[in-house]
Amino acid sequence: MSQKFPADLSEFTVPGHSRGIVDALSYRYLLRLLIRKGTLTRYHGSVLGWVWSYVKPAAQFLVFYLVFGFFLGLNKGIDNFPIYLFSGMIAINLFGEAFGNATRSIVDNTALVQKIYLPRELFPISAVIVAFVHFLPQVLILVVVCLIAGWVPTLIGIASIILGMLIVVTLAIGLGLFFGAINVAFRDAQNLVELILLFATWTSPVLYAWTMVADKVSPWVLNLYLANPLTSAVELFHAGFWFSTTTGSLPQPPHLAAFSLIGLLISLIILAIGQLVFKRLEGHFAQNL
């Protein structure tokens, strides 16, 4: 009489179930393929190709500098205003592209979502990484300009830049998961994201100094303004790239380190909420697409 032994199922997982971002990051091969697809197809068929990654931010910078710095005079009291403007601008550009791409990522990969199972978080995460890859040429331009202006990298400055990037990327993934999941059923989410990105540009000290806000609002409103993760990220970029090239005529915000940690904590909370909402809705992606 043969003895029956229970089958070893330890290496198998239930199809359609995952541990979210943790599992998505373990699919490194697929993640690399999605990133490669996103980077190679961005300028597919374009004559200039990757040159557009330099031309677009340069044109945006020129328009902002002429309008807000030259004509409106917002550069008064801000040393090396071009560096101040561009260092804040690339932080917002990273957030805008990463957030927008992540929101559209599920819809843009309808064929894959409907045909095979893989952690759906791969799509928004790869979209954010692709945005980060396109962000690097802008950083290169900024570094060259800063070096010409006498910028000397320091450990604190580099740490500020890295922390700023971490805040932006974490916030973009969290919001991308949240709105990306909602966008599958309600395409109005894309329009709402565009409004959020519009406000993000103007509610962060990119085109103006934080002191202009401090002069107009009460202290508790200023604290809320500085606790905004994007405000913290922009000021961290200013601290890392711009501040050491100035005479200190425009001071850094008070308690920047504390507000930056608060901004990172808020971003992590948004990431957790985004992951929760994504997990609740992903079971209906295939049907709604």
Side-chain angles (χ1 to χ4, degrees):
M1 181 176 181
S2 61
Q3 186 177 2
K4 294 183 178 180
F5 296 95
D8 182 10
L9 302 177
S10 60
E11 299 298 323
F12 292 87
T13 58
V14 179
H17 291 75
S18 73
R19 294 172 296 171
I21 293 177
V22 176
D23 272 3
L25 294 177
S26 68
Y27 282 66
R28 288 185 291 273
Y29 177 71
L30 289 175
L31 184 60
R32 286 196 298 269
L33 286 180
L34 290 172
I35 294 170
R36 181 178 175 82
K37 169 180 171 289
T39 53
L40 292 180
T41 59
R42 178 181 176 91
Y43 298 120
H44 178 70
S46 171
V47 175
L48 295 180
W50 273 83
V51 175
W52 285 113
S53 294
Y54 298 88
V55 173
K56 287 183 178 179
Q60 184 184 22
F61 162 76
L62 181 61
V63 170
F64 282 172
Y65 177 73
L66 288 176
V67 173
F68 296 98
F70 186 74
F71 292 115
L72 297 181
L74 295 181
N75 61 333
K76 295 178 180 178
I78 303 179
D79 297 336
N80 289 332
F81 181 71
I83 296 177
Y84 178 90
L85 174 62
F86 197 62
S87 58
M89 194 178 74
I90 65 172
I92 293 298
N93 283 350
L94 172 60
F95 173 73
E97 183 174 353
F99 181 19
N101 289 356
T103 298
R104 297 185 299 270
S105 62
I106 303 297
V107 175
D108 289 346
N109 290 278
T110 297
L112 287 175
V113 173
Q114 290 180 330
K115 291 179 180 178
I116 62 173
Y117 170 74
L118 68 167
R120 312 305 195 203
E121 290 86 355
L122 277 171
F123 301 114
I125 290 175
S126 64
V128 171
I129 295 175
V130 169
F132 186 82
V133 172
H134 295 145
F135 157 80
L136 294 179
Q138 302 176 45
V139 176
L140 178 60
I141 295 174
L142 179 59
V143 167
V144 172
V145 173
C146 288
L147 289 173
I148 294 174
W151 177 58
V152 178
T154 63
L155 289 177
I156 294 178
I158 294 174
S160 298
I161 296 168
I162 293 174
L163 179 57
M165 292 179 184
L166 181 61
I167 291 173
V168 171
V169 169
T170 304
L171 182 63
I173 293 176
L175 290 174
L177 287 170
F178 182 87
F179 284 97
I182 294 176
N183 188 51
V184 174
F186 305 100
R187 304 300 163 83
D188 300 293
Q190 294 182 193
N191 296 321
L192 181 58
V193 167
E194 292 178 5
L195 291 177
I196 293 174
L197 294 177
L198 176 64
F199 279 102
T201 302
W202 293 99
T203 56
S204 302
V206 176
L207 307 174
Y208 56 87
W210 71 270
T211 52
M212 297 178 66
V213 178
D215 292 339
K216 298 292 184 180
V217 301
S218 57
W220 71 271
V221 175
L222 178 63
N223 288 336
L224 288 178
Y225 173 78
L226 294 176
N228 172 14
L230 288 180
T231 299
S232 300
V234 168
E235 286 300 334
L236 286 169
F237 272 63
H238 287 159
F241 288 114
W242 167 79
F243 192 74
S244 63
T245 68
T246 72
T247 59
S249 57
L250 177 63
Q252 292 179 322
H255 313 297
L256 178 58
F259 281 115
S260 299
L261 293 177
I262 292 173
L264 179 59
L265 177 61
I266 292 173
S267 299
L268 290 171
I269 292 173
I270 292 175
L271 176 61
I273 295 173
Q275 174 67 96
L276 179 63
V277 172
F278 194 92
K279 290 296 295 179
R280 291 290 299 271
L281 299 179
E282 70 170 335
H284 302 284
F285 285 174
Q287 299 94 306
N288 291 331
L289 286 171

